[in-house]
Every structure is written in structure tokens, then in C-alpha cells.
Amino acid sequence: MNILVVNGPNLNLLGEREPEIYGRGTLRELERAIYAHADKLRQRVRFFQSNHEGAIIDELHRNRKWADAIIINPAAFTHYSYAIRDALLAVAVPTAEVHLSDVENREGEYRKISVIRDICVHRFAGFGFDSYLKALDAFAADRAERKKNKKKKT
Ligand code: DQA
């Protein structure tokens, strides 16, 4: 199973950016934790981070044939980027929305809004790095379920 992991703006500064909210782990450490967990689940991962909306959209397009699933933390784009929403609809790959922080229970009413929530098959927020690992687990469980159902039919 091939999984594209996309991180949006300001997540390159993980570790130094508002550590009381996002923790002290860096993006490199996050990617290493995802890689190790994915390896256990026999999933292949590709990572991408950008501070630019168009670059994120290009990367989603580029991986549309390769990816069986997408894990995306669009960061602030979550709250208003219809262009990223449309790109996810265009590539039509099952997607998990993830957030490090508990976006529902933070300062800023706008953080409660997600313009991609309804088109994602999974959503994990508020678990730090584990939000991404939970998404990997969820896709592994979906795959196991599909296999079971296939067997039942034959
Ligand atoms: C975030 C939450 C967003 O509201 C914020 O703009 C981010 C990070 C998170 O992972 O908790 O940049 O997506």
C-alpha cells in the first residue's frame, strides 16, 4: 500500500514553532516516526511539505496514480482552501485529514472549520505525532476489511 503524506504551511518549523501547542518534535522526527510505523504495517510512504498552496496541489496531482491513500495535514489551508479540497476530489484517492493539535478546542473559531472534513474517510486531531500513526492504522484496517469482503464473495 502506497501512502502520500502531505504537510502544509509552517509545519517545516515543527519543534520550534509554538512548542506548547505542537510539541518539540521536528518534521524530520515526525517523518521518521511515520516511516517506522508504516514499515511495520508494510506500507510505503512518500513525504511532502510545502508552504505554498499550488505546490501542494501539484504534488497531489503528481502522485494520483501512485498513491492508494493520502494523509494530509493542510495546516491553516484546512480552514479555507477550496483549491486543495478540489484537488483532493480530482485525484479521488481515499484521504485522512490529520492535525497535531485539538483544532476543535483551541483559540480561534476559524480552526473549527475544515473545508475538507466531509470528503475525507478518516480524521484524527489532537494526538500529536500519533494523529498520523492512527491514520496509517486506519488505512491498514480498511485494507484488511476489503480483503475479507473479497474473500467472502469468492
Ligand atoms: C494544525 C492546526 C491548524 O489550525 C494550524 O493552522 C496549523 C497546524 C495542526 O496540525 O494542529 O498550522 O493543522
Side-chain angles (χ1 to χ4, degrees):
M1 192 174 200
N2 296 337
I3 302 185
L4 176 67
V5 181
V6 177
N7 279 301
N10 302 305
L11 293 169
N12 55 312
L13 292 186
L14 270 185
E16 49 179 289
R17 171 195 184 201
E18 297 178 274
E20 64 290 355
I21 297 174
Y22 299 114
R24 298 227 168 253
T26 64
L27 181 62
R28 276 291 292 278
E29 286 163 352
L30 169 62
E31 291 181 348
R32 253 187 253 136
I34 295 169
Y35 185 88
H37 197 73
D39 198 45
K40 275 189 244 157
L41 298 170
R42 306 169 108 231
Q43 296 165 330
R44 263 179 299 177
V45 279
R46 269 185 193 169
F47 297 110
F48 184 74
Q49 188 279 329
S50 178
N51 297 324
H52 306 277
E53 193 177 28
I56 292 172
I57 292 165
D58 287 343
E59 191 67 10
L60 293 172
H61 292 181
R62 212 172 288 131
N63 285 282
R64 70 187 186 279
K65 297 265 158 40
W66 178 82
D68 300 306
I70 294 167
I71 296 174
I72 188 165
N73 181 350
F77 287 140
T78 308
H79 313 304
Y80 65 91
S81 175
Y82 292 109
I84 289 178
R85 177 190 170 87
D86 278 353
L88 291 171
L89 285 171
V91 301
V93 175
T95 299
E97 175 187 352
V98 298
H99 300 283
L100 295 152
S101 66
D102 182 3
V103 276
E104 314 296 324
N105 297 298
R106 275 182 65 181
E107 87 319 327
E109 275 305 299
Y110 70 93
R111 288 193 204 277
K112 295 192 174 65
I113 300 165
S114 165
V115 300
I116 66 164
R117 180 197 303 239
D118 63 305
I119 60 164
C120 290
V121 294
H122 300 290
R123 186 173 201 260
F124 299 100
F127 302 103
F129 284 10
D130 281 352
S131 291
Y132 296 76
L133 308 190
K134 283 174 187 286
L136 294 175
D137 287 339
F139 283 125
D142 290 349
R143 191 183 167 85
E145 187 68 19
R146 273 197 305 276
K147 265 197 181 158
K148 212 170 77 189
N149 290 342
K150 226 185 188 175
K151 255 193 196 155
K152 256 191 220 161
K153 275 189 197 151
T154 53

